[in-house]
Amino acid sequence: MNVHAPALAKAHQFDEQTSAFAGAVIDDLSQHPKRLSPKYFYDVRGSELFEQITVLPEYYPTRTELGILRDRGGAIADLIPKGAALVEFGAGATTKVRLLLERCEFGAYVPVDISGDFLSAQADALRKDFPSLAVYPLAADFTAPFALPVDIADMPKVGFFPGSTLGNFEPHEACAFLRTARGILGDGAQLIIGVDLEKNERVLYDAYNDAAGVTARFNLNVLVRINRELGGNFDISAFMHRSIYNRERYRIEMHLISKKAQNVRVLGRNFTFRPGESIHTESSYKYSLDRFTALARGSGWAVRESWTDPAKMFSVHALVASD
Ligand code: AVJ
C-alpha cells in the first residue's frame, strides 16, 4: 500500500481499494513528468469503453489474437495436459478463454482480477456453460504474488495472459511479472501469452487514435473517475487525448495534455499544469519475436511454440517453465 494511503483511508473513510487508488493518484501526479497508472482506467465505464475499443476497425489486437486462438486452438490444446488447471492473469471478458475451454479438458479455471464483482458474474456464466469445470474466481492484484486455491494443488498448471497486457509493463516490470507468474504456477508449468508485435507506425498510431474518439474517451475517463471517487475538480474539457509511437522505446504512449495553465485539486492537494503539460497515462510496448523470446528466457521461461497471424501483427506463445 502506498505511503499516502493509510492517512487518506483514515481522513476520508476510504475502503482499501479506494485508498490505494487515492495514494497512487497523489503520488503519480506529484511526479515530474506527471503520470497515472493504466490499471485505473478500468472502472465500470472504463471497462465498457475498452470493450468498445476492442471492436473498432483501427484496433487490430483483439480480433487478431482471437483469430490466432481459433486457428491454432488445436495445436495449443495438444500442448496442454488433460485435467490441468488454467490460471488467467487479469481475467476480464471471457471471449478468449472460452476458445481454450472449448478445445481443452481443463480440470479447473482460476480467473484472477482486482475487480471481484465483475469476476464472479463472469464465473457464474462460465459454470452454466461448462458444468463439469471447477471455477475458482480470485479477487487479487495479479501483478503481485498470490496463493492458488488448495483444491488445484495436484493439477498441472497452465497460465493464460492474453491481450498484450504485458505491454503495459516497463520491460523490467514485464520480467518481474513473468518471474512472479513462474513462482505462482511452479515447476513444469506452462504459460499461454499474447504479445503485440512491432509494425508500421501508421497502423499503431491509428489503433490508439481511432476516428470515433473512443480511445480519447477511455483515456479521459480516468479524470472523470478521480473527480467521482476522490472528489477531484478536473475540468475534463481542459485536457485532450494524445497517443504517439515512441520509436526509440518501441512503445505507444498515451497522454492527457493540459490545454492551458490551470490548477487542479485532489484530496486537498493542489496540482498546477502548464499549457501543453502532459499526464502520461499508459505505455503499450510492442515486441519483436526475438526481443520477446529474450525477455521470456530472462524470466525463467523457455518459448516452446509461437504462433502469429499471416501478417505478423500479433503473436501468441506457449512458454514452459525453465530454470
Ligand atoms: C489492454 C493494455 C492491451 O495497450 O492495447 C487499448 C489497452 N489502451 N487502447 C493496449 C488500450 C488504448 C490495451 N491493453
Side-chain angles (χ1 to χ4, degrees):
M1 187 185 267
N2 143 298
V3 287
H4 299 288
L8 290 162
K10 199 150 154 295
H12 300 271
Q13 279 84 43
F14 285 152
D15 62 25
E16 191 172 334
Q17 273 195 356
T18 308
S19 53
F21 176 39
V25 167
I26 299 297
D27 237 19
D28 289 346
L29 290 179
S30 307
Q31 304 297 319
H32 300 285
K34 291 182 174 71
R35 63 179 191 224
L36 285 170
S37 166
K39 69 179 169 187
Y40 295 121
F41 282 140
Y42 302 94
D43 60 351
V44 173
R45 179 71 182 132
S47 299
E48 285 164 2
L49 286 165
F50 179 62
E51 286 314 309
Q52 290 176 31
I53 287 174
T54 60
V55 293
L56 287 169
E58 299 97 332
Y59 191 76
Y60 60 84
T62 307
R63 64 175 167 273
T64 309
E65 183 176 35
L66 281 168
I68 297 170
L69 292 172
R70 278 197 195 93
D71 301 349
R72 305 300 183 155
I76 295 171
D78 294 346
L79 299 178
I80 293 173
K82 279 190 181 29
L86 182 67
V87 178
E88 183 172 3
F89 296 85
T94 57
T95 326
K96 292 170 187 168
V97 74
R98 284 172 180 273
L99 291 174
L100 292 187
L101 296 175
E102 282 151 9
R103 301 298 293 267
C104 316
E105 288 172 54
F106 286 107
Y109 171 52
V110 183
V112 185
D113 194 73
I114 209 144
S115 59
D117 315 344
F118 185 71
L119 214 52
S120 38
Q122 296 289 334
D124 294 343
L126 279 172
R127 289 190 184 100
K128 283 201 195 70
D129 301 339
F130 299 89
S132 62
L133 179 71
V135 182
Y136 301 89
L138 202 53
D141 176 352
F142 71 83
T143 63
F146 57 83
L148 291 174
V150 288
D151 295 9
I152 69 167
D154 305 333
M155 296 180 185
K157 309 289 186 301
V158 177
F160 186 44
F161 193 43
S164 198
T165 302
L166 182 82
N168 272 162
F169 297 131
E170 294 300 314
H172 70 279
E173 295 168 335
C175 182
F177 165 76
L178 289 173
R179 275 209 171 283
T180 301
R182 167 80 182 71
I184 291 166
L185 298 169
D187 295 347
Q190 297 189 79
L191 176 63
I192 307 294
I193 183 167
V195 178
D196 198 8
L197 297 175
E198 284 171 48
K199 56 183 60 64
N200 170 287
E201 292 185 23
R202 184 72 224 186
V203 173
L204 284 171
Y205 179 89
D206 292 347
Y208 294 85
N209 292 283
D210 60 283
V214 182
T215 308
R217 287 198 291 285
F218 173 72
N219 196 5
L220 286 161
N221 178 62
V222 71
L223 302 184
V224 175
R225 183 182 182 179
I226 292 172
N227 285 356
R228 185 184 60 251
E229 295 183 22
L230 306 181
N233 66 349
F234 275 99
D235 170 1
I236 310 301
S237 67
F239 287 84
M240 66 184 179
H241 162 75
R242 177 183 293 162
S243 285
I244 55 154
Y245 183 60
N246 180 330
R247 198 172 298 133
E248 288 71 42
R249 308 284 296 273
Y250 305 104
R251 70 185 191 193
I252 280 281
E253 295 177 3
M254 294 227 297
H255 295 266
L256 291 169
I257 306 296
S258 177
K259 294 179 183 175
K260 62 182 182 179
Q262 54 186 315
N263 289 318
V264 174
R265 290 188 70 74
V266 180
L267 297 167
R269 281 146 179 95
N270 192 61
F271 300 98
T272 60
F273 289 84
R274 300 182 311 281
E277 184 175 350
S278 146
I279 305 172
H280 185 177
T281 53
E282 183 177 51
S283 291
S284 194
Y285 282 86
K286 311 303 173 185
Y287 287 86
S288 64
L289 292 176
D290 293 350
R291 263 186 316 107
F292 175 69
T293 302
L295 174 76
R297 281 216 188 100
S299 322
W301 297 94
V303 177
R304 187 171 182 186
E305 275 201 60
S306 298
W307 302 276
T308 69
D309 56 300
K312 294 198 172 1
M313 300 273 280
F314 200 91
S315 61
V316 174
H317 308 262
L319 306 183
V320 61
S322 58
D323 60 19

